[in-house]
Amino acid sequence: MGDVSRRALIKATGAVGAAMLPAVLPLEIAKAQDHAAATRAAAATRAAAASAAQPAHAAPTTYVFFNTEEAAFIEAAVARLIPADQEWPGALEVAVPNYIDKQLAGAWGAGERLYRSGPWQQGTPSQGYQLPFTPAELFHTALAAINKELSAAGTPFATMSADQQDVFLRSLEAGGKSLGGVPSDVFFAHLWESTLEGFFSDPVYGGNRNMVSWRMIGFPGAYASYYDLVDQHGIKIDRPPMSLAEDAHGHMHMDPNIPAYLPPPQRT
């Protein structure tokens, strides 16, 4: 969650290496210059792809599940968990809060497949989730406790500096604190897992706007036919990604029954 850029790290590593190595021959210098030029060209290509993948003015999220205070925390938190860098947008820019919000407002949030009859007691890690809360109840309960605590201290999470936010998130991850009955480490685990899902899932579910993360890792997405490639092994699939809701011509056909796109009223 730090802000040390990849470029700065590479520069620092290069400087240390230059101080430790003997003088290189002209041929080696030429090879190094060619490699540097190729690296810059590759970086420029990635930056152009990222720019094309991210609209200049993304529509704001209409929240179904989160109220204003909860949404402010989630937006600030995911921005620290997967921050933007010089090449690619982060979790906030690719609508991860929208993904989490719509999942919590749907069947998963309601605990559709959870056992809800108890008894409720402390379990071992191998036994999995042991709390009586549905995911929706867990988020509402934990966020209410967090916002109450931070508001009383006069430092809402969204107004903290990046370093302060990182310290607070690490304190949640470390555990040992109850958030209205929700262990802080359990809440953090749910938040982190949901952030990852929203960042890398199909955009049909509300996150991964414009398939940015798929472009970043070179994942082709839900392409239906690899008939011409089934007998080829170890090759790179070099094509734009495709969403579950996208046809072969690049058109998105959204199902109005998909919860990620329901237009609900704002909860206060």
Side-chain angles (χ1 to χ4, degrees):
M1 290 185 286
D3 288 325
V4 178
S5 70
R6 298 166 188 151
R7 181 175 299 179
L9 184 60
I10 291 171
K11 286 183 176 179
T13 304
V16 172
M20 296 175 63
L21 293 174
V24 295
L25 298 176
L27 179 59
E28 292 173 318
I29 293 175
K31 289 181 178 179
Q33 289 174 337
D34 289 343
H35 177 72
T39 300
R40 287 195 297 271
T45 300
R46 291 193 298 271
S51 178
Q54 176 63 21
H57 300 287
T61 297
T62 299
Y63 287 104
V64 188
F65 178 82
F66 295 126
N67 63 28
T68 303
E69 288 185 344
E70 292 168 342
F73 176 91
I74 293 296
E75 289 180 355
V78 303
R80 297 309 304 154
L81 292 173
I82 306 180
D85 63 17
Q86 294 174 331
E87 294 183 15
W88 296 101
L92 179 60
E93 291 79 15
V94 302
V96 166
N98 183 58
Y99 168 86
I100 299 175
D101 179 77
K102 305 310 183 284
Q103 292 299 310
L104 288 169
W108 178 73
E112 182 182 53
R113 297 188 178 185
L114 285 180
Y115 177 76
R116 300 297 312 283
S117 298
W120 311 112
Q121 57 190 15
Q122 186 73 29
T124 66
S126 64
Q127 292 175 317
Y129 185 74
Q130 294 289 311
L131 298 178
F133 302 99
T134 65
E137 293 168 345
L138 182 145
F139 269 79
H140 274 326
T141 301
L143 289 173
I146 289 171
N147 286 327
K148 181 179 180 181
E149 173 190 345
L150 296 181
S151 294
T155 55
F157 185 79
T159 67
M160 291 180 177
S161 69
D163 288 341
Q164 289 173 326
Q165 289 174 342
D166 289 350
V167 169
F168 185 80
L169 290 173
R170 290 191 186 102
S171 73
L172 295 179
E173 182 182 19
K177 182 176 183 179
S178 175
L179 303 173
V182 177
S184 61
D185 56 331
V186 174
F187 168 70
F188 180 87
H190 276 69
L191 175 62
W192 171 235
E193 290 165 5
S194 297
T195 300
L196 282 179
E197 290 173 6
F199 193 69
F200 288 107
S201 67
D202 193 290
V204 74
Y205 300 110
N208 191 13
R209 179 181 285 146
N210 295 316
M211 296 172 277
V212 165
S213 69
W214 290 359
R215 298 174 195 276
M216 180 177 70
I217 64 176
F219 178 61
Y223 188 57
S225 176
Y226 290 94
Y227 179 79
D228 57 332
L229 301 175
V230 293
D231 59 347
Q232 301 183 46
H233 304 282
I235 65 171
K236 179 181 179 180
I237 305 299
D238 189 11
R239 58 177 305 281
M242 177 178 287
S243 165
L244 287 168
E246 185 178 359
D247 64 25
H249 302 288
H251 301 134
M252 299 289 287
H253 299 277
M254 304 310 304
D255 183 345
N257 294 318
I258 294 176
Y261 289 89
L262 292 176
Q266 178 82 14
R267 201 174 68 81
T268 59

